[in-house]
PDB file of all heavy atoms in Angstrom:
ATOM      1  N   ILE A   4      -0.145   4.440  -2.025  1.00 50.00           N
ATOM      2  CA  ILE A   4      -1.211   5.355  -1.684  1.00 50.00           C
ATOM      3  C   ILE A   4      -0.594   6.666  -1.169  1.00 50.00           C
ATOM      4  O   ILE A   4      -1.339   7.700  -1.170  1.00 50.00           O
ATOM      5  CB  ILE A   4      -2.148   4.813  -0.579  1.00 50.00           C
ATOM      6  CG1 ILE A   4      -1.421   4.611   0.756  1.00 50.00           C
ATOM      7  CG2 ILE A   4      -2.786   3.516  -1.046  1.00 50.00           C
ATOM      8  CD1 ILE A   4      -2.346   4.130   1.896  1.00 50.00           C
ATOM      9  N   PHE A  12      -6.545   8.794  -4.498  1.00 89.00           N
ATOM     10  CA  PHE A  12      -6.459   8.059  -3.221  1.00 89.00           C
ATOM     11  C   PHE A  12      -7.848   7.972  -2.589  1.00 89.00           C
ATOM     12  O   PHE A  12      -8.278   6.908  -2.125  1.00 89.00           O
ATOM     13  CB  PHE A  12      -5.503   8.729  -2.277  1.00 89.00           C
ATOM     14  CG  PHE A  12      -5.680   8.248  -0.850  1.00 89.00           C
ATOM     15  CD1 PHE A  12      -5.286   7.020  -0.474  1.00 89.00           C
ATOM     16  CD2 PHE A  12      -6.243   9.120   0.104  1.00 89.00           C
ATOM     17  CE1 PHE A  12      -5.510   6.553   0.810  1.00 89.00           C
ATOM     18  CE2 PHE A  12      -6.383   8.700   1.390  1.00 89.00           C
ATOM     19  CZ  PHE A  12      -5.987   7.418   1.781  1.00 89.00           C
ATOM     20  N   ALA A  16      -9.912   4.625  -1.652  1.00 93.00           N
ATOM     21  CA  ALA A  16     -10.396   4.368  -0.357  1.00 93.00           C
ATOM     22  C   ALA A  16     -11.896   4.145  -0.277  1.00 93.00           C
ATOM     23  O   ALA A  16     -12.452   3.273   0.425  1.00 93.00           O
ATOM     24  CB  ALA A  16      -9.940   5.459   0.633  1.00 93.00           C
ATOM     25  N   GLU A  34     -15.361  -3.140  14.654  1.00 94.00           N
ATOM     26  CA  GLU A  34     -14.596  -2.002  15.154  1.00 94.00           C
ATOM     27  C   GLU A  34     -13.760  -1.451  13.996  1.00 94.00           C
ATOM     28  O   GLU A  34     -13.583  -0.219  13.887  1.00 94.00           O
ATOM     29  CB  GLU A  34     -13.784  -2.377  16.306  1.00 94.00           C
ATOM     30  CG  GLU A  34     -14.653  -2.664  17.623  1.00 94.00           C
ATOM     31  CD  GLU A  34     -13.762  -2.830  18.816  1.00 94.00           C
ATOM     32  OE1 GLU A  34     -12.551  -2.608  18.705  1.00 94.00           O
ATOM     33  OE2 GLU A  34     -14.346  -3.141  19.913  1.00 94.00           O
ATOM     34  N   LEU A  37     -16.059   0.376  11.565  1.00 94.00           N
ATOM     35  CA  LEU A  37     -16.483   1.668  12.102  1.00 94.00           C
ATOM     36  C   LEU A  37     -15.345   2.722  12.038  1.00 94.00           C
ATOM     37  O   LEU A  37     -15.614   3.869  11.677  1.00 94.00           O
ATOM     38  CB  LEU A  37     -16.955   1.473  13.591  1.00 94.00           C
ATOM     39  CG  LEU A  37     -17.392   2.748  14.271  1.00 94.00           C
ATOM     40  CD1 LEU A  37     -18.608   3.411  13.531  1.00 94.00           C
ATOM     41  CD2 LEU A  37     -17.848   2.432  15.721  1.00 94.00           C
ATOM     42  N   PHE A  39     -12.880   2.697   9.906  1.00 95.00           N
ATOM     43  CA  PHE A  39     -12.756   3.038   8.507  1.00 95.00           C
ATOM     44  C   PHE A  39     -13.827   4.071   8.073  1.00 95.00           C
ATOM     45  O   PHE A  39     -13.503   5.082   7.441  1.00 95.00           O
ATOM     46  CB  PHE A  39     -12.849   1.773   7.628  1.00 95.00           C
ATOM     47  CG  PHE A  39     -12.370   1.877   6.257  1.00 95.00           C
ATOM     48  CD1 PHE A  39     -11.849   3.125   5.728  1.00 95.00           C
ATOM     49  CD2 PHE A  39     -12.398   0.785   5.358  1.00 95.00           C
ATOM     50  CE1 PHE A  39     -11.399   3.202   4.450  1.00 95.00           C
ATOM     51  CE2 PHE A  39     -11.995   0.899   4.077  1.00 95.00           C
ATOM     52  CZ  PHE A  39     -11.470   2.116   3.597  1.00 95.00           C
ATOM     53  N   LEU A  42     -12.935   7.595   9.624  1.00 96.00           N
ATOM     54  CA  LEU A  42     -11.770   8.264   9.042  1.00 96.00           C
ATOM     55  C   LEU A  42     -12.092   8.641   7.594  1.00 96.00           C
ATOM     56  O   LEU A  42     -11.642   9.768   7.146  1.00 96.00           O
ATOM     57  CB  LEU A  42     -10.535   7.343   9.093  1.00 96.00           C
ATOM     58  CG  LEU A  42     -10.052   6.999  10.522  1.00 96.00           C
ATOM     59  CD1 LEU A  42      -8.888   6.012  10.441  1.00 96.00           C
ATOM     60  CD2 LEU A  42      -9.555   8.312  11.225  1.00 96.00           C
ATOM     61  N   ALA A  46     -12.098  12.351   5.890  1.00 94.00           N
ATOM     62  CA  ALA A  46     -11.265  12.706   4.707  1.00 94.00           C
ATOM     63  C   ALA A  46     -12.081  13.274   3.563  1.00 94.00           C
ATOM     64  O   ALA A  46     -11.730  14.189   2.885  1.00 94.00           O
ATOM     65  CB  ALA A  46     -10.497  11.446   4.266  1.00 94.00           C
ATOM     66  N   LYS A  56     -13.007  26.881  -3.573  1.00 88.00           N
ATOM     67  CA  LYS A  56     -12.255  28.077  -3.510  1.00 88.00           C
ATOM     68  C   LYS A  56     -12.885  29.066  -2.477  1.00 88.00           C
ATOM     69  O   LYS A  56     -12.168  29.894  -1.916  1.00 88.00           O
ATOM     70  CB  LYS A  56     -12.189  28.769  -4.839  1.00 88.00           C
ATOM     71  CG  LYS A  56     -11.337  28.035  -5.909  1.00 88.00           C
ATOM     72  CD  LYS A  56     -11.244  28.823  -7.156  1.00 88.00           C
ATOM     73  CE  LYS A  56     -10.555  30.176  -6.999  1.00 88.00           C
ATOM     74  NZ  LYS A  56     -10.382  30.829  -8.298  1.00 88.00           N
ATOM     75  N   GLY A 100      -8.420  -3.228  -6.142  1.00 86.00           N
ATOM     76  CA  GLY A 100      -7.145  -2.703  -6.491  1.00 86.00           C
ATOM     77  C   GLY A 100      -6.071  -2.908  -5.491  1.00 86.00           C
ATOM     78  O   GLY A 100      -5.080  -2.219  -5.457  1.00 86.00           O
ATOM     79  N   ASP A 117     -11.234   0.674 -24.595  1.00 86.00           N
ATOM     80  CA  ASP A 117     -12.516   0.658 -25.175  1.00 86.00           C
ATOM     81  C   ASP A 117     -13.374   1.835 -24.569  1.00 86.00           C
ATOM     82  O   ASP A 117     -13.169   2.293 -23.485  1.00 86.00           O
ATOM     83  CB  ASP A 117     -13.330  -0.678 -25.001  1.00 86.00           C
ATOM     84  CG  ASP A 117     -13.174  -1.177 -23.572  1.00 86.00           C
ATOM     85  OD1 ASP A 117     -12.192  -0.832 -22.901  1.00 86.00           O
ATOM     86  OD2 ASP A 117     -14.061  -1.983 -23.110  1.00 86.00           O
ATOM     87  N   SER A 149     -10.857  -9.729 -15.283  1.00 45.00           N
ATOM     88  CA  SER A 149      -9.962  -9.959 -16.465  1.00 45.00           C
ATOM     89  C   SER A 149     -10.058  -8.835 -17.432  1.00 45.00           C
ATOM     90  O   SER A 149      -9.146  -8.608 -18.264  1.00 45.00           O
ATOM     91  CB  SER A 149     -10.261 -11.239 -17.137  1.00 45.00           C
ATOM     92  OG  SER A 149     -11.611 -11.244 -17.691  1.00 45.00           O
ATOM     93  N   ARG A 157     -16.123  11.154 -13.086  1.00 94.00           N
ATOM     94  CA  ARG A 157     -15.553  12.450 -12.885  1.00 94.00           C
ATOM     95  C   ARG A 157     -16.662  13.486 -13.014  1.00 94.00           C
ATOM     96  O   ARG A 157     -17.369  13.505 -13.979  1.00 94.00           O
ATOM     97  CB  ARG A 157     -14.438  12.693 -13.960  1.00 94.00           C
ATOM     98  CG  ARG A 157     -13.772  14.044 -13.864  1.00 94.00           C
ATOM     99  CD  ARG A 157     -12.634  14.094 -14.913  1.00 94.00           C
ATOM    100  NE  ARG A 157     -13.165  14.128 -16.271  1.00 94.00           N
ATOM    101  CZ  ARG A 157     -12.386  14.077 -17.356  1.00 94.00           C
ATOM    102  NH1 ARG A 157     -11.088  14.074 -17.261  1.00 94.00           N
ATOM    103  NH2 ARG A 157     -12.978  14.108 -18.537  1.00 94.00           N
ATOM    104  N   THR A 172     -16.977  -0.502  -8.654  1.00 84.00           N
ATOM    105  CA  THR A 172     -16.644  -1.780  -9.236  1.00 84.00           C
ATOM    106  C   THR A 172     -17.853  -2.544  -9.793  1.00 84.00           C
ATOM    107  O   THR A 172     -17.802  -3.625 -10.184  1.00 84.00           O
ATOM    108  CB  THR A 172     -16.000  -2.713  -8.136  1.00 84.00           C
ATOM    109  OG1 THR A 172     -16.877  -2.805  -7.044  1.00 84.00           O
ATOM    110  CG2 THR A 172     -14.688  -2.128  -7.679  1.00 84.00           C
ATOM    111  N   LEU A 174     -21.541  -1.805 -12.321  1.00 86.00           N
ATOM    112  CA  LEU A 174     -21.888  -1.076 -13.541  1.00 86.00           C
ATOM    113  C   LEU A 174     -22.850   0.082 -13.319  1.00 86.00           C
ATOM    114  O   LEU A 174     -23.416   0.646 -14.275  1.00 86.00           O
ATOM    115  CB  LEU A 174     -22.409  -2.030 -14.629  1.00 86.00           C
ATOM    116  CG  LEU A 174     -21.399  -3.004 -15.145  1.00 86.00           C
ATOM    117  CD1 LEU A 174     -22.055  -4.002 -16.094  1.00 86.00           C
ATOM    118  CD2 LEU A 174     -20.287  -2.311 -15.808  1.00 86.00           C
ATOM    119  N   LYS A 187     -29.016  23.274  -9.488  1.00 91.00           N
ATOM    120  CA  LYS A 187     -27.673  23.488 -10.009  1.00 91.00           C
ATOM    121  C   LYS A 187     -27.395  22.465 -11.120  1.00 91.00           C
ATOM    122  O   LYS A 187     -27.933  21.341 -10.999  1.00 91.00           O
ATOM    123  CB  LYS A 187     -26.628  23.359  -8.907  1.00 91.00           C
ATOM    124  CG  LYS A 187     -26.728  24.459  -7.821  1.00 91.00           C
ATOM    125  CD  LYS A 187     -25.600  24.324  -6.755  1.00 91.00           C
ATOM    126  CE  LYS A 187     -25.792  25.393  -5.686  1.00 91.00           C
ATOM    127  NZ  LYS A 187     -24.705  25.159  -4.661  1.00 91.00           N
ATOM    128  N   ARG A 188     -26.543  22.819 -12.003  1.00 92.00           N
ATOM    129  CA  ARG A 188     -26.161  21.917 -13.108  1.00 92.00           C
ATOM    130  C   ARG A 188     -24.890  21.186 -12.710  1.00 92.00           C
ATOM    131  O   ARG A 188     -23.949  21.770 -12.137  1.00 92.00           O
ATOM    132  CB  ARG A 188     -25.987  22.601 -14.403  1.00 92.00           C
ATOM    133  CG  ARG A 188     -25.732  21.769 -15.614  1.00 92.00           C
ATOM    134  CD  ARG A 188     -25.783  22.491 -16.894  1.00 92.00           C
ATOM    135  NE  ARG A 188     -27.070  23.065 -17.144  1.00 92.00           N
ATOM    136  CZ  ARG A 188     -28.021  22.390 -17.783  1.00 92.00           C
ATOM    137  NH1 ARG A 188     -27.845  21.141 -18.128  1.00 92.00           N
ATOM    138  NH2 ARG A 188     -29.256  22.935 -17.987  1.00 92.00           N
ATOM    139  N   VAL A 196     -11.616   1.689 -15.834  1.00 90.00           N
ATOM    140  CA  VAL A 196     -10.245   1.723 -15.196  1.00 90.00           C
ATOM    141  C   VAL A 196      -9.732   0.263 -15.105  1.00 90.00           C
ATOM    142  O   VAL A 196     -10.540  -0.688 -14.969  1.00 90.00           O
ATOM    143  CB  VAL A 196     -10.254   2.361 -13.830  1.00 90.00           C
ATOM    144  CG1 VAL A 196     -10.584   3.808 -13.964  1.00 90.00           C
ATOM    145  CG2 VAL A 196     -11.260   1.680 -12.886  1.00 90.00           C
ATOM    146  N   LEU A 200      -6.186   1.416 -11.375  1.00 84.00           N
ATOM    147  CA  LEU A 200      -7.012   2.635 -11.374  1.00 84.00           C
ATOM    148  C   LEU A 200      -6.571   3.601 -12.463  1.00 84.00           C
ATOM    149  O   LEU A 200      -6.813   4.832 -12.325  1.00 84.00           O
ATOM    150  CB  LEU A 200      -6.944   3.249  -9.988  1.00 84.00           C
ATOM    151  CG  LEU A 200      -7.280   2.469  -8.769  1.00 84.00           C
ATOM    152  CD1 LEU A 200      -7.248   3.249  -7.498  1.00 84.00           C
ATOM    153  CD2 LEU A 200      -8.604   1.784  -8.992  1.00 84.00           C
ATOM    154  N   PRO A 202      -7.361   5.165 -15.918  1.00 90.00           N
ATOM    155  CA  PRO A 202      -8.578   5.305 -16.775  1.00 90.00           C
ATOM    156  C   PRO A 202      -8.259   5.148 -18.238  1.00 90.00           C
ATOM    157  O   PRO A 202      -7.184   5.466 -18.741  1.00 90.00           O
ATOM    158  CB  PRO A 202      -9.092   6.693 -16.419  1.00 90.00           C
ATOM    159  CG  PRO A 202      -7.852   7.461 -16.104  1.00 90.00           C
ATOM    160  CD  PRO A 202      -6.956   6.475 -15.392  1.00 90.00           C
TER     161      PRO A 202
END
Side-chain angles (χ1 to χ4, degrees):
I4 67 176
F12 164 70
E34 290 188 5
L37 179 60
F39 195 0
L42 294 176
K56 290 183 65 175
D117 48 334
S149 63
R157 181 175 66 182
T172 56
L174 292 176
K187 296 180 181 179
R188 187 171 293 276
V196 293
L200 308 183

